Amino acid sequence: MTISGKARFTIAAVLALSLLVPASVSASAPYDSYTYNSSQRDVRSIAGYMYDGSIDGINWPSGPLNRPESMFISEEGNLYIADSGNNRIVELDAGHQYLRTYGDTEGEGALSEPKGVYVKEDGTVYVADTKNSRIAVFDKDGRFIRDYPKPESPLIGATFSYSPSKIVLDKRDYMFVVSDGNTQGLLQIDPKGEFRGFYGANHVGFSWSRLFVKLIATEEQRRKLAAIVPAEFSDLDMDEEGFMYTTTIGEEANQLKRLSPVGVDTLNFGVSRQYGDYFSVGPFTMASFIGVTVDDDGIITALDLQTSKLFQYDKLGNFLFSFGGVGEQNGLFATPSGVSQNKDGTIYVVDRGRNRIDWFRTTPFADLVHQASVLYVDGRYSEAESLWQEVLKQNANFEMAYQAIGKSMYKAERYKEAMDYFKLARARHDYSLAFKEYRKEYVRENFTMLAAGAMLLFAALRWGVPGAIRFARRKKTANAARTAPVALSPHAKEGESI
């Protein structure tokens, strides 16, 4: 059997296409790339992020990193690293070159195991100086300015344990502070150091088991029961609009939140969502998110300590990508502790267990998905349609693309096509809406035919059916009369008829 030149060319082209970038990107990643469908099953996907390098500080004049906890990236792209094991903050420029350290000298500005750092636009550095139980403030050249110790307030109480670990400032220069072990919410502290209340506290959900125990337990047993307290926040970030993004440890659902200025969760409003892997190790494990960062488009990237993975979601909470994991290879982590990102979308992950920071760049597929997702979230479905079509060409498993295209067709009043895409996306609610509109459209376009059919059906039911019934009855009577036996007269002879 011989193969023609044209056939050989076709086979060669197919083989070449199979070796294009998306395939090579996925193959070189030390972790599986996947997304979740509406049935909560993971399906293979193209990698959204690839490992691009590491920072360990071995060649710095101040020495290498030692148990770094978190980091902050300024508007200019400078990196500020909370190097907890060395009791300092390290500043690097956008090219990862060493600039200076903060808090590593004796005196009032000496830090003790800082866990968090935040930098204002003017370069002022705020440090969550955890072991010193304060917020320390430095100018852009590293000089100590002042500190904010534990605020005094009856709302806090004298026994409150103040261990600031993360900090963010809003446009009023109010400090929002995560304090380790605190379950009452984020602390709000004004520029004067006065306590302004707790913000966005988590709530204890209703439990039938707790209610049942309370109903049957005695008064003494109730006193011995451990008090149920809300879960504590572990990290926070703020977007340009003033919305606060938080992570929570110890919750099975809504571990990520987007809090409005008044503390209302707008990411999970009225719904319960499980973030992270659905079954990371077994059915009884749950994600433990310890880090979060949000970009200018509202795309959220959160770090899960349970799996050492990063999970990325759009502004509506739709799952986009996952990467990372436990391991010794580049792109995997020992004990990750923080996450941040710069303006070009590069993700930085602090790995406390390996005393370094890894950074990850976006793949072309991720750039395409991000661009389409931003348009989709903004309701610009028709503009996003061609981008989602390209996403499906590269990865037909990306279920969100089917729903997004369906939205575009629904908005364009192409209801029948929208139904097809909503069916592929398993979006039952959207499918029902499209079907309802398609039904209306079908009735309008075929009204004359449907009306004529209805009139014919009415006429058939009103006159045709009763007439057919009467005709059938008459025919039955006539047939019965013809087939009935004829009775003989008693005076007639046999063989004679009357």
Side-chain angles (χ1 to χ4, degrees):
M1 180 178 177
T2 60
I3 302 177
S4 67
K6 184 176 182 181
R8 284 196 296 270
F9 176 82
T10 303
I11 293 172
V14 171
L15 291 173
L17 286 173
S18 68
L19 298 175
L20 286 177
V21 170
S24 62
V25 164
S26 296
S28 61
Y31 43 80
D32 292 330
S33 301
Y34 58 91
T35 184
Y36 280 105
N37 61 21
S38 56
S39 300
Q40 298 182 354
R41 294 183 178 180
D42 57 311
V43 292
R44 292 297 298 270
S45 180
I46 299 172
Y49 287 83
M50 295 298 297
Y51 170 83
D52 204 27
S54 298
I55 303 169
D56 54 22
I58 291 178
N59 297 320
W60 294 346
S62 60
L65 294 171
N66 180 21
R67 291 188 291 109
E69 283 285 342
S70 65
M71 64 181 294
F72 180 88
I73 301 179
S74 69
E75 291 292 322
E76 295 78 20
N78 286 8
L79 281 61
Y80 296 79
I81 304 167
D83 190 15
S84 184
N86 287 321
N87 302 315
R88 64 182 182 177
I89 302 297
V90 180
E91 181 184 359
L92 310 179
D93 65 18
H96 305 160
Q97 297 301 308
Y98 174 83
L99 293 178
R100 62 182 60 86
T101 60
Y102 300 77
D104 63 336
T105 56
E106 296 294 331
E108 290 183 306
L111 302 174
S112 179
E113 298 186 24
K115 290 186 177 181
V117 58
Y118 180 88
V119 183
K120 291 175 56 178
E121 290 184 2
D122 63 3
T124 305
V125 179
Y126 288 73
V127 181
D129 191 6
T130 308
K131 288 298 182 180
N132 285 329
S133 301
R134 65 174 185 169
I135 302 298
V137 185
F138 300 84
D139 68 15
K140 63 182 181 179
D141 296 317
R143 290 185 292 267
F144 176 76
I145 299 175
R146 63 163 297 178
D147 63 5
Y148 294 93
K150 173 187 172 182
E152 302 294 333
S153 171
L155 296 175
I156 296 179
T159 60
F160 182 84
S161 177
Y162 187 53
S163 299
S165 59
K166 301 294 188 301
I167 180 173
V168 161
L169 271 68
D170 67 7
K171 295 178 181 178
R172 304 168 298 170
D173 284 345
Y174 271 51
M175 293 170 277
F176 291 79
V177 180
V178 174
S179 180
D180 289 343
N182 169 42
T183 62
Q184 301 179 69
L186 302 174
L187 283 79
Q188 292 186 87
I189 304 173
D190 69 17
K192 297 180 180 179
E194 299 293 329
F195 178 68
R196 293 300 181 181
F198 291 104
Y199 169 83
N202 290 310
H203 302 285
V204 176
F206 175 78
S207 170
W208 284 105
S209 60
R210 287 201 304 271
L211 177 61
F212 178 72
V213 169
K214 287 183 179 180
L215 289 175
I216 65 174
T218 64
E219 191 67 32
E220 183 179 355
Q221 289 172 331
R222 291 176 189 172
R223 285 196 299 268
K224 293 180 180 179
L225 291 174
I228 305 299
V229 297
E232 62 180 278
F233 290 119
S234 55
D235 196 16
L236 74 170
D237 196 11
M238 181 177 285
D239 66 15
E240 292 295 325
E241 298 176 344
F243 284 84
M244 189 77 69
Y245 294 75
T246 64
T247 55
T248 302
I249 295 178
E251 286 190 342
E252 295 182 359
N254 296 352
Q255 308 99 319
L256 307 181
K257 295 180 175 66
R258 180 177 58 237
L259 303 176
S260 69
V262 295
V264 176
D265 181 11
T266 61
L267 181 62
N268 311 295
F269 190 76
V271 298
S272 178
R273 286 196 180 104
Q274 180 180 338
Y275 295 96
D277 277 337
Y278 289 101
F279 301 107
S280 56
V281 179
F284 304 107
T285 62
M286 60 183 177
S288 297
F289 286 101
I290 58 170
V292 64
T293 182
V294 58
D295 69 9
D296 293 339
D297 294 316
I299 295 176
I300 309 163
T301 305
L303 173 62
D304 173 31
L305 181 61
Q306 179 73 38
T307 59
S308 293
K309 294 179 182 178
L310 292 104
F311 296 89
Q312 190 171 83
Y313 304 88
D314 69 11
K315 199 172 185 178
L316 301 178
N318 296 308
F319 179 61
L320 300 179
F321 296 106
S322 173
F323 61 99
V326 180
E328 294 297 324
Q329 292 176 269
N330 289 331
L332 302 178
F333 313 109
T335 309
S337 56
V339 59
S340 189
Q341 64 183 311
N342 63 16
K343 291 295 183 181
D344 67 10
T346 301
I347 300 287
Y348 290 80
V349 182
V350 181
D351 192 350
R352 179 179 57 206
R354 298 171 75 176
N355 296 319
R356 73 182 200 179
I357 295 170
D358 297 339
W359 75 85
F360 296 77
R361 58 174 172 80
T362 57
T363 63
F365 182 71
D367 293 334
L368 179 64
V369 170
H370 289 162
Q371 186 180 356
S373 176
V374 170
L375 294 173
Y376 172 75
V377 169
D378 288 343
R380 296 152 64 182
Y381 303 131
S382 57
E383 295 179 54
E385 182 178 341
S386 60
L387 296 175
W388 287 120
Q389 292 285 8
E390 183 60 32
V391 168
L392 290 178
K393 288 180 182 178
Q394 298 187 34
N395 178 15
N397 290 331
F398 211 87
E399 196 171 271
M400 181 182 171
Y402 292 107
Q403 184 166 8
I405 295 172
K407 292 272 190 182
S408 173
M409 293 181 173
Y410 181 89
K411 187 175 182 180
E413 300 182 356
R414 295 154 59 188
Y415 303 117
K416 183 64 173 65
E417 295 171 86
M419 288 167 57
D420 295 335
Y421 277 94
F422 287 145
K423 185 177 181 179
L424 291 170
R426 298 185 180 93
R428 294 183 178 181
H429 177 69
D430 291 325
Y431 181 90
S432 298
L433 294 177
F435 176 74
K436 187 183 296 183
E437 295 299 326
Y438 175 68
R439 185 174 55 192
K440 292 178 184 178
E441 183 181 74
Y442 184 85
V443 170
R444 285 194 302 267
E445 293 178 353
N446 300 276
F447 179 78
T448 303
M449 182 182 67
L450 293 173
M455 293 176 64
L456 290 174
L457 179 60
F458 175 78
L461 294 175
R462 176 66 180 85
W463 294 289
V465 173
I469 293 174
R470 287 194 297 271
F471 175 77
R473 286 176 178 172
R474 287 197 298 267
K475 187 173 181 180
K476 183 178 180 180
T477 302
N479 289 338
R482 285 196 298 270
T483 59
V486 179
L488 295 176
S489 170
H491 302 290
K493 295 181 179 180
E494 187 176 350
E496 294 179 350
S497 60
I498 299 176

